[in-house]
Amino acid sequence: MTTKRSSRTSVKSASGLHPHVLVVHGPNLNLLGNREPGHYGLDTLDDINRALVSRGESVGAQIETFQHNHEGALIDRVHQAARDHVDFIVINPAGYTHTSVALRDALAASAIPFVEIHLSNIYARESFRHHSYFSDLAVGVVSGLGAHGYELALEYALRHLQNRTPHGSQKTEKAH
Ligand code: DQA
């Protein structure tokens, strides 16, 4: 069965801009909490998403979360993000990290800056996990810091977006 979880919140930001961040979770991450806790910890996906949405609310950012087990659905969601003018993506491609040229191409086509995140340290695991189809396109990669890594990735995104001018360019750093 396909499991899809989605949540959305929007609050007004002091600056008048509404940072819009999409958090994408790939296959099997709906099982977090039960799935190989030695690698992925005990936090559920709902725990992770709730913390991210709550952090977004505290700074007036809109955080959407999306999980799917199917490659095509993840690709479609990235296409939708481009149509919605999402500002930033935080993505854990999960198993597709190591296999999916198609999801990589969707992110490249979207031109939305993104951080790649992994709960486990993929470089300390099997060699087939050492290659990612996403890392060279990503603004950065967080790997091995568990659920906390999502919070760090979101903090980066929020800071990156805070530096935007109302016209969408960056005041102090290069726009991606
Ligand atoms: C993962 C690492 C991947 O190798 C694995 O296939 C996953 C989760 C992580 O979060 O550590 O499903 O992306």
Side-chain angles (χ1 to χ4, degrees):
M1 194 180 87
T2 299
T3 303
K4 175 171 134 182
R5 300 167 190 221
S6 189
S7 62
R8 186 178 183 122
T9 187
S10 177
V11 289
K12 200 159 177 61
S13 72
S15 67
L17 294 172
H18 296 272
H20 187 178
V21 179
L22 174 66
V23 182
V24 178
H25 307 282
N28 301 307
L29 295 174
N30 54 306
L31 302 178
L32 289 180
N34 293 318
R35 179 191 179 201
E36 299 182 87
H39 284 307
Y40 304 120
L42 291 170
D43 287 322
T44 66
L45 196 64
D46 280 343
D47 294 334
I48 291 170
N49 286 339
R50 261 199 303 272
L52 297 177
V53 169
S54 161
R55 175 63 184 141
E57 281 177 345
S58 75
V59 294
Q62 180 183 347
I63 312 296
E64 286 186 87
T65 66
F66 180 80
Q67 190 277 329
H68 213 287
N69 292 327
H70 298 180
E71 191 175 22
L74 296 164
I75 291 166
D76 287 344
R77 189 64 190 83
V78 171
H79 293 176
Q80 183 65 46
R83 286 193 294 272
D84 291 348
H85 304 290
V86 164
D87 297 302
F88 204 96
I89 292 176
V90 173
I91 183 165
N92 184 345
Y96 290 134
T97 304
H98 321 294
T99 64
S100 184
V101 173
L103 184 54
R104 169 200 169 91
D105 286 349
L107 282 158
S110 79
I112 300 170
F114 71 92
V115 164
E116 173 186 349
I117 153 97
H118 302 282
L119 293 145
S120 64
N121 179 353
I122 58 174
Y123 302 102
R125 300 183 61 191
E126 304 96 319
S127 58
F128 67 83
R129 296 185 201 275
H130 297 178
H131 177 258
S132 164
Y133 278 102
F134 299 84
S135 302
D136 63 308
L137 295 182
V139 176
V141 180
V142 180
S143 183
L145 303 182
H148 188 50
Y150 281 96
E151 292 168 30
L152 296 175
L154 180 61
E155 286 311 314
Y156 175 83
L158 295 174
R159 184 172 297 197
H160 173 89
L161 296 172
Q162 259 170 15
N163 288 333
R164 283 188 314 184
T165 67
H167 303 293
S169 58
Q170 294 289 307
K171 280 191 230 158
T172 55
E173 59 184 304
K174 181 171 159 260
H176 294 274

PDB file of all heavy atoms in Angstrom, residues 27-29 35 39-40 92-98 117-122 125 128-129 143-144 150, ligand 1:
ATOM      1  N   PRO A  27      10.885   6.714  -0.286  1.00  0.00           N
ATOM      2  CA  PRO A  27      10.275   5.442   0.077  1.00  0.00           C
ATOM      3  C   PRO A  27      10.743   4.890   1.423  1.00  0.00           C
ATOM      4  O   PRO A  27      11.902   5.056   1.807  1.00  0.00           O
ATOM      5  CB  PRO A  27      10.705   4.502  -1.064  1.00  0.00           C
ATOM      6  CG  PRO A  27      11.872   5.162  -1.698  1.00  0.00           C
ATOM      7  CD  PRO A  27      11.649   6.637  -1.534  1.00  0.00           C
ATOM      8  N   ASN A  28       9.812   4.267   2.091  1.00  0.00           N
ATOM      9  CA  ASN A  28      10.012   3.555   3.365  1.00  0.00           C
ATOM     10  C   ASN A  28      10.164   4.480   4.565  1.00  0.00           C
ATOM     11  O   ASN A  28      10.208   4.018   5.702  1.00  0.00           O
ATOM     12  CB  ASN A  28      11.215   2.591   3.294  1.00  0.00           C
ATOM     13  CG  ASN A  28      11.048   1.561   2.196  1.00  0.00           C
ATOM     14  OD1 ASN A  28      10.030   0.890   2.159  1.00  0.00           O
ATOM     15  ND2 ASN A  28      12.015   1.449   1.302  1.00  0.00           N
ATOM     16  N   LEU A  29      10.221   5.777   4.321  1.00  0.00           N
ATOM     17  CA  LEU A  29      10.365   6.698   5.456  1.00  0.00           C
ATOM     18  C   LEU A  29       9.056   6.837   6.229  1.00  0.00           C
ATOM     19  O   LEU A  29       9.052   7.306   7.363  1.00  0.00           O
ATOM     20  CB  LEU A  29      10.903   8.057   4.993  1.00  0.00           C
ATOM     21  CG  LEU A  29      12.336   7.960   4.428  1.00  0.00           C
ATOM     22  CD1 LEU A  29      12.786   9.295   3.850  1.00  0.00           C
ATOM     23  CD2 LEU A  29      13.328   7.494   5.495  1.00  0.00           C
ATOM     24  N   ARG A  35      11.312   1.214  11.707  1.00  0.00           N
ATOM     25  CA  ARG A  35      12.239   0.712  10.688  1.00  0.00           C
ATOM     26  C   ARG A  35      13.690   0.816  11.152  1.00  0.00           C
ATOM     27  O   ARG A  35      14.178   1.929  11.383  1.00  0.00           O
ATOM     28  CB  ARG A  35      12.059   1.559   9.417  1.00  0.00           C
ATOM     29  CG  ARG A  35      12.969   1.176   8.290  1.00  0.00           C
ATOM     30  CD  ARG A  35      12.934   2.211   7.178  1.00  0.00           C
ATOM     31  NE  ARG A  35      13.852   1.809   6.137  1.00  0.00           N
ATOM     32  CZ  ARG A  35      14.363   2.638   5.229  1.00  0.00           C
ATOM     33  NH1 ARG A  35      14.042   3.905   5.243  1.00  0.00           N
ATOM     34  NH2 ARG A  35      15.195   2.191   4.332  1.00  0.00           N
ATOM     35  N   HIS A  39      19.691   2.383  12.584  1.00  0.00           N
ATOM     36  CA  HIS A  39      20.112   3.306  11.520  1.00  0.00           C
ATOM     37  C   HIS A  39      19.323   4.607  11.541  1.00  0.00           C
ATOM     38  O   HIS A  39      19.866   5.679  11.277  1.00  0.00           O
ATOM     39  CB  HIS A  39      19.913   2.663  10.137  1.00  0.00           C
ATOM     40  CG  HIS A  39      20.950   1.641   9.787  1.00  0.00           C
ATOM     41  ND1 HIS A  39      22.296   1.909   9.844  1.00  0.00           N
ATOM     42  CD2 HIS A  39      20.813   0.355   9.368  1.00  0.00           C
ATOM     43  CE1 HIS A  39      22.962   0.826   9.475  1.00  0.00           C
ATOM     44  NE2 HIS A  39      22.100  -0.129   9.193  1.00  0.00           N
ATOM     45  N   TYR A  40      18.004   4.474  11.824  1.00  0.00           N
ATOM     46  CA  TYR A  40      17.127   5.617  11.554  1.00  0.00           C
ATOM     47  C   TYR A  40      16.494   6.233  12.790  1.00  0.00           C
ATOM     48  O   TYR A  40      15.755   7.217  12.674  1.00  0.00           O
ATOM     49  CB  TYR A  40      16.039   5.199  10.552  1.00  0.00           C
ATOM     50  CG  TYR A  40      16.622   4.643   9.269  1.00  0.00           C
ATOM     51  CD1 TYR A  40      16.350   3.340   8.847  1.00  0.00           C
ATOM     52  CD2 TYR A  40      17.474   5.414   8.489  1.00  0.00           C
ATOM     53  CE1 TYR A  40      16.895   2.833   7.680  1.00  0.00           C
ATOM     54  CE2 TYR A  40      18.035   4.914   7.329  1.00  0.00           C
ATOM     55  CZ  TYR A  40      17.739   3.621   6.931  1.00  0.00           C
ATOM     56  OH  TYR A  40      18.299   3.127   5.768  1.00  0.00           O
ATOM     57  N   ASN A  92      14.865  13.985   1.471  1.00  0.00           N
ATOM     58  CA  ASN A  92      15.519  12.712   1.749  1.00  0.00           C
ATOM     59  C   ASN A  92      15.019  11.736   0.684  1.00  0.00           C
ATOM     60  O   ASN A  92      13.922  11.192   0.800  1.00  0.00           O
ATOM     61  CB  ASN A  92      15.175  12.202   3.144  1.00  0.00           C
ATOM     62  CG  ASN A  92      15.931  10.926   3.475  1.00  0.00           C
ATOM     63  OD1 ASN A  92      16.494  10.282   2.586  1.00  0.00           O
ATOM     64  ND2 ASN A  92      15.939  10.551   4.748  1.00  0.00           N
ATOM     65  N   PRO A  93      15.812  11.524  -0.372  1.00  0.00           N
ATOM     66  CA  PRO A  93      15.341  10.640  -1.445  1.00  0.00           C
ATOM     67  C   PRO A  93      15.336   9.169  -1.044  1.00  0.00           C
ATOM     68  O   PRO A  93      14.914   8.318  -1.827  1.00  0.00           O
ATOM     69  CB  PRO A  93      16.347  10.897  -2.581  1.00  0.00           C
ATOM     70  CG  PRO A  93      17.159  12.103  -2.175  1.00  0.00           C
ATOM     71  CD  PRO A  93      17.122  12.118  -0.678  1.00  0.00           C
ATOM     72  N   ALA A  94      15.860   8.874   0.154  1.00  0.00           N
ATOM     73  CA  ALA A  94      15.896   7.503   0.682  1.00  0.00           C
ATOM     74  C   ALA A  94      16.547   6.571  -0.346  1.00  0.00           C
ATOM     75  O   ALA A  94      17.579   6.933  -0.919  1.00  0.00           O
ATOM     76  CB  ALA A  94      14.501   7.065   1.130  1.00  0.00           C
ATOM     77  N   GLY A  95      15.946   5.420  -0.624  1.00  0.00           N
ATOM     78  CA  GLY A  95      16.580   4.461  -1.540  1.00  0.00           C
ATOM     79  C   GLY A  95      16.812   5.036  -2.932  1.00  0.00           C
ATOM     80  O   GLY A  95      17.746   4.617  -3.637  1.00  0.00           O
ATOM     81  N   TYR A  96      15.983   6.003  -3.346  1.00  0.00           N
ATOM     82  CA  TYR A  96      16.152   6.603  -4.668  1.00  0.00           C
ATOM     83  C   TYR A  96      17.413   7.461  -4.766  1.00  0.00           C
ATOM     84  O   TYR A  96      17.834   7.803  -5.870  1.00  0.00           O
ATOM     85  CB  TYR A  96      14.917   7.431  -5.054  1.00  0.00           C
ATOM     86  CG  TYR A  96      13.701   6.584  -5.332  1.00  0.00           C
ATOM     87  CD1 TYR A  96      12.463   6.922  -4.800  1.00  0.00           C
ATOM     88  CD2 TYR A  96      13.787   5.448  -6.132  1.00  0.00           C
ATOM     89  CE1 TYR A  96      11.345   6.137  -5.051  1.00  0.00           C
ATOM     90  CE2 TYR A  96      12.676   4.664  -6.386  1.00  0.00           C
ATOM     91  CZ  TYR A  96      11.455   5.008  -5.848  1.00  0.00           C
ATOM     92  OH  TYR A  96      10.357   4.226  -6.096  1.00  0.00           O
ATOM     93  N   THR A  97      17.995   7.778  -3.613  1.00  0.00           N
ATOM     94  CA  THR A  97      19.274   8.499  -3.607  1.00  0.00           C
ATOM     95  C   THR A  97      20.274   7.828  -4.538  1.00  0.00           C
ATOM     96  O   THR A  97      21.020   8.487  -5.259  1.00  0.00           O
ATOM     97  CB  THR A  97      19.879   8.463  -2.178  1.00  0.00           C
ATOM     98  OG1 THR A  97      18.928   8.992  -1.266  1.00  0.00           O
ATOM     99  CG2 THR A  97      21.187   9.229  -2.107  1.00  0.00           C
ATOM    100  N   HIS A  98      20.256   6.491  -4.477  1.00  0.00           N
ATOM    101  CA  HIS A  98      21.315   5.709  -5.116  1.00  0.00           C
ATOM    102  C   HIS A  98      20.910   5.162  -6.485  1.00  0.00           C
ATOM    103  O   HIS A  98      21.688   4.445  -7.109  1.00  0.00           O
ATOM    104  CB  HIS A  98      21.712   4.556  -4.181  1.00  0.00           C
ATOM    105  CG  HIS A  98      21.732   4.953  -2.737  1.00  0.00           C
ATOM    106  ND1 HIS A  98      22.637   5.872  -2.247  1.00  0.00           N
ATOM    107  CD2 HIS A  98      20.935   4.609  -1.675  1.00  0.00           C
ATOM    108  CE1 HIS A  98      22.403   6.057  -0.948  1.00  0.00           C
ATOM    109  NE2 HIS A  98      21.377   5.306  -0.576  1.00  0.00           N
ATOM    110  N   ILE A 117      19.157  15.308   2.552  1.00  0.00           N
ATOM    111  CA  ILE A 117      19.302  14.888   3.943  1.00  0.00           C
ATOM    112  C   ILE A 117      19.156  13.379   4.066  1.00  0.00           C
ATOM    113  O   ILE A 117      18.336  12.765   3.385  1.00  0.00           O
ATOM    114  CB  ILE A 117      18.279  15.640   4.840  1.00  0.00           C
ATOM    115  CG1 ILE A 117      17.876  14.861   6.101  1.00  0.00           C
ATOM    116  CG2 ILE A 117      16.990  15.957   4.146  1.00  0.00           C
ATOM    117  CD1 ILE A 117      18.631  15.263   7.276  1.00  0.00           C
ATOM    118  N   HIS A 118      19.987  12.808   4.935  1.00  0.00           N
ATOM    119  CA  HIS A 118      19.877  11.388   5.286  1.00  0.00           C
ATOM    120  C   HIS A 118      19.966  11.268   6.791  1.00  0.00           C
ATOM    121  O   HIS A 118      20.842  11.894   7.418  1.00  0.00           O
ATOM    122  CB  HIS A 118      20.996  10.569   4.642  1.00  0.00           C
ATOM    123  CG  HIS A 118      20.999  10.705   3.147  1.00  0.00           C
ATOM    124  ND1 HIS A 118      20.097  10.029   2.352  1.00  0.00           N
ATOM    125  CD2 HIS A 118      21.756  11.459   2.322  1.00  0.00           C
ATOM    126  CE1 HIS A 118      20.301  10.368   1.097  1.00  0.00           C
ATOM    127  NE2 HIS A 118      21.302  11.238   1.048  1.00  0.00           N
ATOM    128  N   LEU A 119      19.115  10.444   7.355  1.00  0.00           N
ATOM    129  CA  LEU A 119      19.169  10.208   8.799  1.00  0.00           C
ATOM    130  C   LEU A 119      20.462   9.505   9.177  1.00  0.00           C
ATOM    131  O   LEU A 119      21.118   9.847  10.163  1.00  0.00           O
ATOM    132  CB  LEU A 119      17.971   9.353   9.216  1.00  0.00           C
ATOM    133  CG  LEU A 119      16.607  10.035   9.066  1.00  0.00           C
ATOM    134  CD1 LEU A 119      15.548   9.043   8.666  1.00  0.00           C
ATOM    135  CD2 LEU A 119      16.233  10.735  10.354  1.00  0.00           C
ATOM    136  N   SER A 120      20.804   8.492   8.404  1.00  0.00           N
ATOM    137  CA  SER A 120      22.017   7.724   8.696  1.00  0.00           C
ATOM    138  C   SER A 120      23.197   8.333   7.935  1.00  0.00           C
ATOM    139  O   SER A 120      23.009   9.134   7.015  1.00  0.00           O
ATOM    140  CB  SER A 120      21.817   6.260   8.279  1.00  0.00           C
ATOM    141  OG  SER A 120      21.634   6.166   6.871  1.00  0.00           O
ATOM    142  N   ASN A 121      24.384   7.940   8.348  1.00  0.00           N
ATOM    143  CA  ASN A 121      25.592   8.364   7.627  1.00  0.00           C
ATOM    144  C   ASN A 121      25.809   7.380   6.475  1.00  0.00           C
ATOM    145  O   ASN A 121      26.334   6.286   6.669  1.00  0.00           O
ATOM    146  CB  ASN A 121      26.788   8.366   8.577  1.00  0.00           C
ATOM    147  CG  ASN A 121      28.067   8.781   7.867  1.00  0.00           C
ATOM    148  OD1 ASN A 121      28.089   8.949   6.639  1.00  0.00           O
ATOM    149  ND2 ASN A 121      29.133   8.932   8.628  1.00  0.00           N
ATOM    150  N   ILE A 122      25.386   7.792   5.293  1.00  0.00           N
ATOM    151  CA  ILE A 122      25.424   6.844   4.161  1.00  0.00           C
ATOM    152  C   ILE A 122      26.854   6.437   3.811  1.00  0.00           C
ATOM    153  O   ILE A 122      27.070   5.383   3.215  1.00  0.00           O
ATOM    154  CB  ILE A 122      24.686   7.406   2.913  1.00  0.00           C
ATOM    155  CG1 ILE A 122      25.272   8.736   2.443  1.00  0.00           C
ATOM    156  CG2 ILE A 122      23.188   7.523   3.176  1.00  0.00           C
ATOM    157  CD1 ILE A 122      24.661   9.246   1.122  1.00  0.00           C
ATOM    158  N   ARG A 125      28.130   3.210   5.617  1.00  0.00           N
ATOM    159  CA  ARG A 125      27.322   2.005   5.396  1.00  0.00           C
ATOM    160  C   ARG A 125      27.812   1.274   4.137  1.00  0.00           C
ATOM    161  O   ARG A 125      28.934   1.467   3.700  1.00  0.00           O
ATOM    162  CB  ARG A 125      25.844   2.403   5.330  1.00  0.00           C
ATOM    163  CG  ARG A 125      25.369   3.079   6.637  1.00  0.00           C
ATOM    164  CD  ARG A 125      23.904   3.419   6.608  1.00  0.00           C
ATOM    165  NE  ARG A 125      23.079   2.223   6.457  1.00  0.00           N
ATOM    166  CZ  ARG A 125      21.777   2.250   6.188  1.00  0.00           C
ATOM    167  NH1 ARG A 125      21.165   3.418   6.046  1.00  0.00           N
ATOM    168  NH2 ARG A 125      21.097   1.133   6.072  1.00  0.00           N
ATOM    169  N   PHE A 128      27.232   0.590  -1.817  1.00  0.00           N
ATOM    170  CA  PHE A 128      26.236   1.052  -2.797  1.00  0.00           C
ATOM    171  C   PHE A 128      25.509   2.308  -2.328  1.00  0.00           C
ATOM    172  O   PHE A 128      24.871   3.001  -3.120  1.00  0.00           O
ATOM    173  CB  PHE A 128      25.226  -0.056  -3.164  1.00  0.00           C
ATOM    174  CG  PHE A 128      24.308  -0.486  -2.046  1.00  0.00           C
ATOM    175  CD1 PHE A 128      23.158   0.233  -1.755  1.00  0.00           C
ATOM    176  CD2 PHE A 128      24.593  -1.614  -1.295  1.00  0.00           C
ATOM    177  CE1 PHE A 128      22.294  -0.159  -0.730  1.00  0.00           C
ATOM    178  CE2 PHE A 128      23.744  -2.027  -0.267  1.00  0.00           C
ATOM    179  CZ  PHE A 128      22.604  -1.297   0.021  1.00  0.00           C
ATOM    180  N   ARG A 129      25.619   2.618  -1.008  1.00  0.00           N
ATOM    181  CA  ARG A 129      24.985   3.844  -0.497  1.00  0.00           C
ATOM    182  C   ARG A 129      25.919   5.048  -0.594  1.00  0.00           C
ATOM    183  O   ARG A 129      25.523   6.165  -0.274  1.00  0.00           O
ATOM    184  CB  ARG A 129      24.550   3.667   0.964  1.00  0.00           C
ATOM    185  CG  ARG A 129      23.480   2.622   1.151  1.00  0.00           C
ATOM    186  CD  ARG A 129      22.993   2.576   2.601  1.00  0.00           C
ATOM    187  NE  ARG A 129      22.367   1.295   2.871  1.00  0.00           N
ATOM    188  CZ  ARG A 129      21.083   1.014   2.610  1.00  0.00           C
ATOM    189  NH1 ARG A 129      20.287   1.928   2.101  1.00  0.00           N
ATOM    190  NH2 ARG A 129      20.591  -0.180   2.872  1.00  0.00           N
ATOM    191  N   SER A 143      24.083  14.270   6.552  1.00  0.00           N
ATOM    192  CA  SER A 143      23.990  12.811   6.597  1.00  0.00           C
ATOM    193  C   SER A 143      24.527  12.308   7.923  1.00  0.00           C
ATOM    194  O   SER A 143      25.652  12.643   8.309  1.00  0.00           O
ATOM    195  CB  SER A 143      24.818  12.219   5.438  1.00  0.00           C
ATOM    196  OG  SER A 143      24.707  10.822   5.397  1.00  0.00           O
ATOM    197  N   GLY A 144      23.714  11.531   8.637  1.00  0.00           N
ATOM    198  CA  GLY A 144      24.204  10.877   9.847  1.00  0.00           C
ATOM    199  C   GLY A 144      23.809  11.559  11.138  1.00  0.00           C
ATOM    200  O   GLY A 144      24.193  11.091  12.213  1.00  0.00           O
ATOM    201  N   TYR A 150      17.183  17.078   9.865  1.00  0.00           N
ATOM    202  CA  TYR A 150      16.095  17.794   9.184  1.00  0.00           C
ATOM    203  C   TYR A 150      15.972  19.212   9.721  1.00  0.00           C
ATOM    204  O   TYR A 150      15.721  20.158   8.976  1.00  0.00           O
ATOM    205  CB  TYR A 150      14.761  17.080   9.393  1.00  0.00           C
ATOM    206  CG  TYR A 150      14.531  15.869   8.517  1.00  0.00           C
ATOM    207  CD1 TYR A 150      14.817  14.595   8.980  1.00  0.00           C
ATOM    208  CD2 TYR A 150      14.003  16.005   7.239  1.00  0.00           C
ATOM    209  CE1 TYR A 150      14.588  13.479   8.198  1.00  0.00           C
ATOM    210  CE2 TYR A 150      13.767  14.895   6.442  1.00  0.00           C
ATOM    211  CZ  TYR A 150      14.063  13.634   6.924  1.00  0.00           C
ATOM    212  OH  TYR A 150      13.841  12.535   6.140  1.00  0.00           O
TER     213      TYR A 150
HETATM  214  C1  DQA B   1      18.454   7.076   3.968  1.00  0.00           C
HETATM  215  C2  DQA B   1      19.678   6.290   3.532  1.00  0.00           C
HETATM  216  C3  DQA B   1      19.384   5.467   2.283  1.00  0.00           C
HETATM  217  O1  DQA B   1      20.536   4.729   1.894  1.00  0.00           O
HETATM  218  C4  DQA B   1      18.268   4.486   2.562  1.00  0.00           C
HETATM  219  O2  DQA B   1      17.936   3.760   1.386  1.00  0.00           O
HETATM  220  C5  DQA B   1      17.074   5.123   3.149  1.00  0.00           C
HETATM  221  C6  DQA B   1      17.232   6.194   4.144  1.00  0.00           C
HETATM  222  C7  DQA B   1      18.683   7.803   5.298  1.00  0.00           C
HETATM  223  O3  DQA B   1      17.853   8.663   5.641  1.00  0.00           O
HETATM  224  O4  DQA B   1      19.641   7.521   6.012  1.00  0.00           O
HETATM  225  O5  DQA B   1      15.947   4.712   2.906  1.00  0.00           O
HETATM  226  O6  DQA B   1      18.188   8.067   2.976  1.00  0.00           O
END
